[in-house]
Amino acid sequence: MLDATTKAARPAHAPADHPAIAGPKVGVLLANLGTPDHYSYWPMRRYLNEFLSDTRVIDYPKWKWQPILQAIILTKRPFSSGEAYKSIWNEDLNESPLMTITKRQSAAIAARMNERYGDQVTVDFCMRYGNPSTKSKVQEMVKAGCRKILFFPLYPQYAGATSATANDQFFRALMEEPWQPTARVVDPYFDQPKYIEALAASVERGYADLADKPDILVVSYHGMPKRYLMQGDPYHCQCQKTTRLLRERLGWDETQITTTFQSVFGPEEWLKPYTVEHVAELAKQGKRKIAVIAPAFSADCIETLEEINEEIRESFEHAGGEQFTYIPCLNDDPAHVDALSSVIEENLGGWLA
């Protein structure tokens, strides 16, 4: 988090009316998808409007899409999405689990950076949609004296609708700064060894707690239109590689693990197989015990806690499945914090002693 006590001073030898400038620091800005401020109608509508108006997410022409969005989708979907968020809401803190977990991740990484670099580095987080906004956090970092900012979208696999739109928003924020800081953007870390190790360890822990081992591990990634893959988006390939590296680290054969895609939206074909359909098919094939993990999400959120652990579980059980195990996201697990911190330290090369 940013240090509110950061001191600013007039540069030596500067005239008396020169504005005070905070001492130079390096900022590390973590970025996640976002969250509504509440699950009630209007906060949900604001959040969904921002999210579904992003042309990186829905790339239909605005003249065609916006009337549908404003007149139909945003009159109904805030109610259904609000109920889904309500089912997982952190009532104690009055925030979504994604917000709670991202705060913990940020604090843990900040502690790691402080241990390594002292007060040279400040760590904070932003959301692509909702609060805290990317723009507000860039402004805070610049005001605190961050002359260099490392921007880290918390998406292991690159996709235009996740990593790219987060980067877009970061660059838009930089465009408004009179004195732009030097900036770097972190590459996707889908094949980073410590990330794969953390995933594998989470699977091993999940299986160790079960009396009956699953017949198969379903590795479910967020979906995207197949058209995006054909246009050159590398997401599908990076997901497949993550699964392969995870399987190799676990020492499994290909019959013990499968890759699927969830969260289908709209009428066109998305990446297949669809998780919700595939788990039902597995049950019909006689695989009555399955586990599901979601490596594309750095923190548990609506797509994991509600969609996987409720809707996808229900699809499996209705088809005859007997044992459904959801393996949580890596969240603020120490191995995950170590993996993310290692990526950050590598990307800070040349900026700090």
Side-chain angles (χ1 to χ4, degrees), residues 144-161:
C146 294
R147 297 307 317 141
K148 298 180 175 68
I149 297 178
L150 178 67
F151 186 69
F152 191 176
L154 292 175
Y155 306 108
Q157 299 82 17
Y158 174 95

Side-chain angles (χ1 to χ4, degrees), residues 8-301:
R10 180 172 58 85
H13 311 297
D17 61 349
H18 194 288
I21 299 175
K25 284 188 174 185
V26 173
V28 175
L29 185 56
L30 312 173
N32 214 321
L33 181 76
T35 170
D37 295 326
H38 194 257
Y39 52 75
S40 54
Y41 180 83
W42 288 109
M44 282 302 314
R45 181 174 177 125
R46 285 193 298 271
Y47 174 74
L48 290 172
N49 184 45
E50 185 179 9
F51 175 48
L52 296 176
S53 292
D54 185 353
T55 54
R56 287 278 196 180
V57 175
I58 307 291
D59 66 348
Y60 302 149
K62 289 184 178 181
W63 64 265
K64 181 179 181 180
W65 172 242
Q66 281 297 319
I68 298 172
L69 176 64
Q70 300 300 327
I72 301 174
I73 295 174
L74 291 180
T75 60
K76 298 179 180 180
R77 186 152 179 173
F79 291 109
S80 59
S81 294
E83 285 300 311
Y85 269 97
K86 184 178 181 180
S87 72
I88 65 167
W89 200 254
N90 184 340
E91 296 288 357
D92 291 339
L93 298 176
N94 192 28
E95 62 189 21
S96 73
L98 177 65
M99 179 66 76
T100 303
I101 295 165
T102 305
K103 286 179 179 177
R104 292 175 181 169
Q105 290 174 328
S106 182
I109 291 171
R112 169 76 173 259
M113 294 300 107
N114 182 260
E115 180 182 328
R116 175 77 185 271
Y117 302 111
D119 63 0
Q120 297 180 85
V121 174
T122 185
V123 178
D124 209 340
F125 73 92
C126 65
M127 299 295 184
R128 170 61 182 89
Y129 315 104
N131 298 305
S133 70
T134 305
K135 178 180 176 180
S136 69
K137 289 302 177 179
V138 168
Q139 289 175 339
E140 287 183 20
M141 283 193 162
V142 171
K143 186 176 181 180
C146 294
R147 297 307 317 141
K148 298 180 175 68
I149 297 178
L150 178 67
F151 186 69
F152 191 176
L154 292 175
Y155 306 108
Q157 299 82 17
Y158 174 95
T162 54
S163 309
T165 190
N167 293 339
D168 290 345
Q169 199 74 345
F170 176 55
F171 297 137
R172 289 188 194 103
L174 292 180
M175 289 171 64
E176 298 189 23
E177 290 302 319
W179 185 7
Q180 282 187 335
T182 301
R184 288 178 180 170
V185 173
V186 175
D187 279 341
Y189 55 98
F190 63 97
D191 57 355
Q192 206 269 353
K194 287 189 175 182
Y195 163 67
I196 299 298
E197 179 61 32
L199 281 178
S202 73
V203 172
E204 290 169 342
R205 286 195 303 271
Y207 274 45
D209 292 337
L210 299 173
D212 296 319
K213 297 298 181 284
D215 299 315
I216 193 168
L217 175 66
V218 177
V219 187
S220 181
Y221 298 87
H222 198 287
M224 65 184 292
K226 183 179 179 181
R227 172 170 53 87
Y228 292 8
L229 166 64
M230 306 313 293
Q231 291 171 349
D233 194 300
Y235 178 71
H236 180 266
C237 299
Q238 293 182 2
C239 292
Q240 295 289 353
K241 185 172 183 180
T242 295
T243 299
R244 175 176 63 80
L245 293 174
L246 174 61
R247 177 179 61 80
E248 291 173 354
R249 160 58 183 80
L250 291 168
W252 293 358
D253 62 47
E254 293 182 359
T255 64
Q256 294 173 280
I257 192 168
T258 185
T259 296
T260 63
F261 299 90
Q262 64 183 84
S263 307
V264 176
F265 177 80
E268 66 181 301
E269 181 181 0
W270 281 42
L271 298 177
K272 291 184 176 179
Y274 300 148
T275 305
V276 69
E277 296 177 358
H278 193 66
V279 296
E281 184 60 31
L282 288 173
K284 293 172 184 176
Q285 292 172 4
K287 297 189 184 299
R288 302 302 174 86
K289 302 183 294 293
I290 68 169
V292 180
I293 190 171
F297 301 95
S298 61
D300 275 307
C301 54

